Each structure stands twice: as C-alpha cells, then as structure tokens.
Amino acid sequence: MTHQTRPFRFAAQVYRANTGKEWRDVAHKVEDMGYSALHVSDHYIGPGAALDPTGHRPVTMAPITSMAVAAEVTETLKVGCRMFCTSYHEPVVLAKEAATLAMFAPDRIEIGLGAGWLGAEYEAMGIDFPSAGSRVDRLEETIELIAQQFRGEQIDVDGKIVKAAGFAPLPVPETAPPIMVGGGARRVLTLAGRTADIVSINFNNRSGVLGSDSVLTSTVEETHKKMGWVRDGAGDRFGDIEIETGAYFVAIEGKTDITEDALIDRTGFSRPELRAFPHALVGSVDDICEQLEQRREEFGFSYFTIGDRAYEQFAPVVERMSGK
C-alpha cells in the first residue's frame, strides 16, 4: 500500500522552564502560534559529569506532570512526550498514567514510546542498562499493555520482561490516544510500523551519545532504509500511519541565532548536503517550505517537531504550511 499524502502539522518540543508561570506561558504561546502539539521529553539527570559527555541538554521538567499542566491551560493543543523511555517506567503504571491524561484531555494526548538509549543516564540513575534487544523487548511488551488499556481489555501480557494479568484497566479513555513509536534501528522501526499510529523517524543513537554517529545514521540513503523497515512492519496498514520526524538543525535566514554557515561548520556538510539532510530545515522561509514539500514527497514526512531553540522563529513556516 502506498502512503497517503497527509496535511502538514507541527509540534514544538520544549522541556526547559524555570517556573510554573513560564511553562504555562510556553503552552499558551505554542497554541497561539498554530502548532498542532507540544512535546516534552523523558530525561531526568541535570548538569554534571554524567550528562556532560552525552551531548544531551538538561531537561528541566518531568514529563507526565508537565503534560497535565499544559493540557489544562490550553484548549485545542495536543500534548505529548517524545518519547517515554519504557525502561524508566513500570508498564502498568505508565499505561494508567497515559489513560488518565487521555481522560482529562480527550482527543488531545499523544503517547510517544521509545526503547531508551542514553546509557550514561541509566548509570547515573542507578538503573540497569540492558542490551538493545532487551530494551526493545520491553518496548514491544509495553506497547501491547498500553494498547490493551486503551481498548478496555482485560490486561494479559506474558512477555519476556513485562508480565501483567488478572485485572481490568481503569480508566479506559473514551477515545484511544494515538501511540507514537520512534527510533532509528531496524527492529524498532519494524515494530513501529506494525503497532504505531504515528512512526517517528529518528537518529540511531546506538553509540549512547548524540554526535557524529547519530548524523551518519540519518543521511538520505539511511532514511530511505528506515522507511523500508517501517513498510516491512506495516504491510497493508502502511497507508494509515502518520510519519513524524525531528528537525534538529534549524537555521532560518534572518531569524535564528544559529546560521546555515554555522551548521555547515558543525556538521562538515556541504551546503547542498545540509539542505538535503532529512533532519535539517535551513534557508529562507520559502526555502524551508520547499524542503518540507520535498520531504513529504520523498519520505512521507508530514509531521515535524521543532526544538525549543527555534520554535518561536519557526512560527511563520507553521502559519504558512499547517494543514496544506
């Protein structure tokens, strides 16, 4: 089955606020700018020797509380987490938290799920960092448990890692929130194709840090491979899946502090390579709108997440392209 052409929508991923007022203001601002969704993040350790080598910025806020507050102070904005690390949450507890959020904010919650990758964070938190295979097993079994919760079925999961049975789920959301599953490796993306409503095409952070290897796993050629893995998993349901991705390199001419030339220096890409890179949106507003059209045509991407360093400056693109 071919992938249908979906209208564009955009999320802002913001996970750094210093006060409750600041976070509520962010939620209002993201909604007013026309973004479809506000995403938070599921990381826990602050600045220090454990985080410094990972390349990951500190995340101020815990996800579930942040999602609840953002949903409460907005009216139409969807609220999600990109992504819940299934290693960090007891599956039954996470399923109930997700269903409760969906009860409080019907049709406005998105549940992102990932296998986990930031090894230094596991170590700093005193959590075992299992093999990649074990982490994906836990992800797969958590997806099944959450799906059962959302369907209102008796919970019955007897997996390698997740084992839960003998009770009915409460609450059961009136409308099941979409499940987004993301990653950059074959097994995760095949699983996502088989189970998710939204598939997030991401870096393969197999090195456990953000860096040059992450970029090398996300070239045009590698992204076509990733989409092939999604198709393999999805089969006939491929046309029903929404494809999301993160724009990690954003440089808008005359608007952002970071420039296209600075990104060329940082990545080592030539200008044409940077403009073709699936996780970059660079140039004028017109250039970026053309890049969005091209990414949708080439890869099926229609849902783009913009980071907190650029989401305000990206608003003119959101205004022009949302729903097109």
Side-chain angles (χ1 to χ4, degrees):
M1 179 181 290
T2 58
H3 199 270
Q4 62 178 309
T5 299
R6 290 177 175 268
F8 290 111
R9 67 185 185 108
F10 301 90
Q13 186 175 31
V14 186
Y15 45 74
R16 289 148 63 89
N18 296 312
T19 66
K21 180 182 184 305
E22 183 180 339
W23 178 239
R24 292 177 177 91
D25 288 346
V26 165
H28 285 302
K29 186 182 297 183
V30 169
E31 184 172 50
D32 290 346
M33 287 178 173
Y35 281 90
S36 172
L38 172 61
H39 286 166
V40 294
S41 183
D42 194 27
H43 291 288
Y44 294 89
I45 63 175
L51 187 65
D52 291 346
T54 68
H56 203 288
R57 300 169 73 204
V59 173
T60 306
M61 305 170 300
I64 293 169
T65 311
S66 304
M67 289 173 65
V69 170
E72 188 67 12
V73 300
T74 55
E75 296 181 2
T76 61
L77 189 68
K78 296 183 186 296
V79 180
C81 180
R82 193 182 185 268
M83 310 285 182
F84 284 113
C85 171
T86 55
S87 296
Y88 295 164
H89 301 273
E90 282 296 324
V92 172
V93 176
L94 180 59
K96 192 177 186 78
E97 293 280 5
T100 303
L101 284 168
M103 180 183 74
F104 289 155
D107 299 316
R108 293 180 53 212
I109 300 297
E110 297 178 354
I111 303 300
L113 300 170
W117 60 276
L118 197 59
E121 183 168 59
Y122 284 73
E123 182 179 356
M125 292 168 63
I127 297 174
D128 289 339
F129 186 51
S131 68
S134 293
R135 281 179 278 134
V136 179
D137 286 339
R138 185 181 179 99
L139 170 63
E140 182 171 7
E141 293 161 11
T142 299
I143 292 168
E144 175 54 30
L145 192 150
I146 290 176
Q148 290 179 12
Q149 172 98 29
F150 290 170
R151 292 193 297 263
E153 297 176 356
Q154 284 278 324
I155 299 298
D156 184 9
V157 179
D158 184 19
K160 296 177 183 177
I161 297 167
V162 178
K163 297 182 183 295
F167 61 95
L170 290 173
V172 177
E174 185 175 337
T175 303
I179 293 175
M180 177 164 67
V181 178
R186 180 193 294 268
R187 186 179 167 200
V188 170
L189 289 174
T190 303
L191 170 65
R194 188 171 74 249
T195 61
D197 304 294
I198 306 166
V199 173
S200 177
I201 304 298
N202 212 330
F203 289 167
N204 182 346
N205 290 321
R206 59 196 176 190
S207 64
V209 300
L210 289 171
S212 58
D213 186 64
S214 302
V215 173
L216 289 174
T217 68
S218 303
T219 61
V220 170
E221 181 180 357
E222 292 298 317
T223 302
H224 280 296
K225 289 181 185 177
K226 292 173 185 178
M227 289 306 303
W229 299 335
V230 175
R231 289 187 186 89
D232 290 343
D236 290 342
R237 66 184 295 273
F238 180 69
D240 298 327
I241 296 170
E242 185 174 32
I243 308 295
E244 184 268 0
T245 194
Y248 299 125
F249 301 147
V250 177
I252 309 173
E253 201 172 277
K255 295 184 181 294
T256 52
D257 292 337
I258 193 164
T259 65
E260 185 174 0
D261 288 340
L263 287 175
I264 289 170
D265 290 341
R266 181 194 299 180
T267 61
F269 287 147
S270 67
R271 195 172 306 278
E273 287 171 336
L274 179 63
R275 292 199 173 204
F277 185 63
H279 298 278
L281 293 169
V282 297
S284 67
V285 169
D286 287 344
D287 292 335
I288 289 172
C289 291
E290 290 177 7
Q291 289 161 25
L292 291 169
E293 295 277 9
Q294 184 272 331
R295 304 279 155 75
R296 183 169 62 179
E297 176 68 25
E298 184 169 2
F299 303 114
F301 298 167
S302 60
Y303 186 6
F304 291 82
T305 296
I306 310 302
D308 63 349
R309 289 174 169 170
Y311 81 93
E312 293 181 79
Q313 295 86 349
F314 200 81
V317 179
V318 173
E319 182 179 10
R320 184 184 301 187
M321 301 300 289
S322 290
K324 286 191 175 181

